[in-house]
Amino acid sequence: MAGLETAVDPASNAFRERARAYDTLIDDLGNKLVWARAGGGAAMMARHRDRDKIPVRERIDLLIDPGTGFLELTPLAGWGLYDGDLAAAGIVTGIGCVRGTSCMIIANDATVKGGSFYRETVKKHIRAQDIAAQNRLPCLYLVDCGGANLNQMEEVFYDENHFGGTFHRQCRMSASGIPQLAAVFGECTAGGAYIPALCDEFIMVEGAASIHLGGPQIVKAAISEVIDRHELGGAALHARQSGVADHIVPDEYAAIGRLRDIVGSLAYAQPFVGNRLPAILPVHDADEIPGIVGTDLKEPVDPREIIARIVDASDFHEFKPEWGATVVCGTARIDGFVAGIIANHGVLFSEACLKAAHFIELCDQRGHPIIFLQNTTGFMVGREAELGGIAKHSAKLVYAMANTSVPRLTVVTGGSYGAGNYGMSGRGFRPHFMFMWPNARLGGMAPDVGAGVLMDLRRASVSRTSATEEELAAYEAELRQMFADKSDPYFCTARLFDDGIIDPRDTRRVLGLCLAVVGMRPEIRAPRPVYRM
């Protein structure tokens, strides 16, 4: 493959200014991650330790194999919600290696609202399960759960993607041969009791763990029986009398060790179906990405400069380089894994849509996963575009993307607006993974466009509203701010519209981990012809 050259001058004033501006975004991301990792705060963490309990992320560190990484998903879920009291949505999810097996780890944080399930907690739990099911990853539940938040019943109980949806997925995965294992560290009451009860095998910590469908308060209210939680459903009762639990251990360290042993005993096959070669670092430095991208989305960025800093040896076989210039397509390797790459270079015209749709079919035929680098205001509009068939050609792109059988990974590197987000494998089209950069924006319309549309509608009815120019100007400012706020990456990640915000310099590492995971998926691809668009 041809090596990508660069036109970037790291010594230029413009580059340095962009890098300095981006550094503030990276610092802000780091500060927000500190909030996520602090759990319920210093006082709750001290109380947790006083009870001989290990903080949730330390449990995960002990569980995964030494020297291996942990790909944490949506650590900033819940950011800006509930007065900042729902750090990481009260649950830590991610992919780690345990006894040589890649596993999905789903761990409650009891320092955050007692590990109760809020709307965002349920959504995060389900997203982790869906990734596990798609890639046949064993699920390891580190349970310390107070059940559903009773003040949010309409958000967590009734619907198919509410709390019951987590149990449905657990049952279906177990039935399909995907191991479901748990270690119970604390109280599991009501719905929380079903997390371990529906597992194939689980462990309880003596003197700390308990499982009961109705806690002591419910038992007292229902049948006037006064009992403490350990008499009702403690580890000793369930391991030695009821037979509900499979193992009892003296402390949390022993529970984690036993869980590792169970995973080791699975002999769970994870054959890699892809084509991997030894990894080669890019020729061009990933640390230069912030200075290339900057913080002004209106400044054009050649996606080849980004690609050159994330792919092996900066080698990239570009497809149709002289046609459909606003999208860049080509094949490369990342951490040794082959992948197709589709990256925006501005507005998507008909030619760009046809080029990308053709390339998707090539990837599908060849079995190459596809990485989408989103930075677009959307599909072209206007009479000339409509006359040229933009509706038909953009639909071809959406159709090809939605029906490809190969994995899709999406990174939002800039703006991602309207139907352009859909055509470039947005969240609505269920990419296997989707991440955002701190400078990224995601929305139905760019703030300028959205505010302009609504202002035109408002001005058209001004005779009925009798609004003054000052009132209209204030209204326009409110609209722009609303669109800006709702396209902010932290607004999006707080509500789990992505799988996390990542430092651009970590993009290669994150994509490498994801490609390794999707490479273990069952081979379901059927041969299909390539239709030249």
Side-chain angles (χ1 to χ4, degrees), residues 474-489:
Y475 180 62
E476 183 174 11
E478 290 177 9
L479 288 175
R480 289 180 184 276
Q481 190 61 50
M482 182 270 289
F483 277 103
D485 289 345
K486 292 191 176 183
S487 63
D488 184 87

Side-chain angles (χ1 to χ4, degrees), residues 29 69 113 121 219 273 297 308 333 366 403:
L29 173 61
K113 304 294 186 181
T121 319
V219 170
V273 300
L297 295 184
R333 290 185 182 270
R366 296 166 181 172
N403 285 290

Side-chain angles (χ1 to χ4, degrees), residues 10 37 80 90 103 136 141 152 156 200 330 376 400-401 460 487 508:
R37 291 163 184 157
C103 300
R136 297 193 62 83
Y141 302 91
Q152 270 196 344
V156 301
D200 308 325
T376 182
M401 176 275 302
S487 63
R508 171 182 166 82

Side-chain angles (χ1 to χ4, degrees), residues 421-436:
N421 167 269
Y422 292 167
M424 288 292 292
S425 188
R427 192 57 173 263
F429 285 81
R430 298 168 176 80
H432 287 57
F433 292 93
M434 177 174 167
F435 300 95
M436 297 180 73

Side-chain angles (χ1 to χ4, degrees), residues 350 382-391 393:
S350 287
R383 185 179 186 280
E384 184 177 349
E386 298 295 351
L387 186 64
I390 187 64
H393 298 315

Side-chain angles (χ1 to χ4, degrees), residues 277-344:
L277 296 177
I280 304 173
L281 291 175
V283 172
H284 305 294
D285 193 349
D287 287 345
E288 294 173 350
I289 294 177
I292 294 168
V293 175
T295 58
D296 185 356
L297 295 184
K298 294 179 180 179
E299 285 193 19
V301 177
D302 185 346
R304 297 174 188 84
E305 296 287 2
I306 296 170
I307 294 168
R309 288 159 176 82
I310 64 174
V311 303
D312 287 11
S314 298
D315 282 344
F316 183 61
H317 174 65
E318 189 167 350
F319 176 71
K320 290 187 183 291
E322 306 297 326
W323 191 71
T326 57
V327 68
V328 173
C329 303
T331 306
R333 290 185 182 270
I334 296 178
D335 201 25
F337 300 102
V338 68
I341 298 175
I342 302 176
N344 295 126

Side-chain angles (χ1 to χ4, degrees), residues 194-274:
Y194 283 107
I195 298 174
L198 291 171
C199 280
D200 308 325
E201 194 171 353
F202 75 90
I203 304 148
M204 294 183 73
V205 177
E206 189 166 15
S210 60
I211 294 174
H212 27 68
L213 297 186
Q217 297 87 349
I218 295 175
V219 170
K220 181 179 179 181
I223 62 173
S224 300
E225 181 180 357
V226 177
I227 191 169
D228 71 29
R229 70 182 183 93
H230 292 293
E231 290 178 310
L232 182 63
L237 180 144
H238 283 314
R240 296 170 180 142
Q241 293 179 268
S242 74
V244 169
D246 303 298
H247 306 272
I248 184 170
V249 293
D251 57 38
E252 294 198 4
Y253 294 98
I256 293 167
R258 185 68 59 85
L259 185 56
R260 282 180 52 80
D261 289 343
I262 295 172
V263 175
S265 73
L266 294 175
Y268 187 71
Q270 291 181 313
F272 183 72
V273 300

